[in-house]
Amino acid sequence: MQKLANNWWLLGIAVALSFAPVLIFQGKEFKATDSINITAIEEVKPGYKPWFEPVIKPSGGEVETFLFATQAAIGSGVTCYILGLYKGRTERRKTDEIVPSIEHRD
């Protein structure tokens, strides 16, 4: 029961941390780092031209956010899959090493 209560507390803290920036910066505009960087570079060097243009120009900030979130989700999914795969292999090796040593005791 104690473990379940701890999980609820952790979930509540995670939700609060997720919504804190939304409440703190309410009404402010969020810009992509690419546009902020280009603006800063143009202030320093007015004749700046990017080396290349995007292949597909997103229609708005929401689309950019969606693409970024999708990319992050795919990356974390692959990373977690690989970590789980290696963890499972390690556990299987430990189990395989223990079982033969018990069988040889007879």
Side-chain angles (χ1 to χ4, degrees):
M1 197 64 168
Q2 178 70 18
K3 197 174 201 180
L4 184 63
N6 287 341
N7 288 343
W8 282 110
W9 275 105
L10 290 174
L11 181 64
I13 291 170
V15 169
L17 288 174
S18 298
F19 283 108
V22 174
L23 298 173
I24 293 171
F25 299 110
Q26 198 170 24
K28 295 193 178 179
E29 183 179 342
F30 291 100
K31 294 183 180 179
T33 56
D34 293 339
S35 63
I36 293 172
N37 290 338
I38 290 174
T39 305
I41 291 171
E42 286 175 347
E43 287 177 5
V44 175
K45 188 174 183 184
Y48 170 76
K49 289 188 180 180
W51 293 354
F52 58 90
E53 293 294 322
V55 177
I56 299 171
K57 189 78 170 173
S59 61
E62 295 84 11
V63 176
E64 287 182 26
T65 303
F66 170 73
L67 292 174
F68 179 77
T70 303
Q71 179 184 1
I74 291 170
S76 65
V78 169
T79 302
C80 291
Y81 173 77
I82 291 170
L83 289 173
L85 182 69
Y86 284 121
K87 175 70 174 172
R89 285 182 182 173
T90 304
E91 293 294 323
R92 191 175 324 129
R93 282 189 197 133
K94 287 180 182 178
T95 304
D96 291 345
E97 290 173 0
I98 293 172
V99 172
S101 64
I102 293 172
E103 291 174 356
H104 290 295
R105 289 184 183 175
D106 292 335

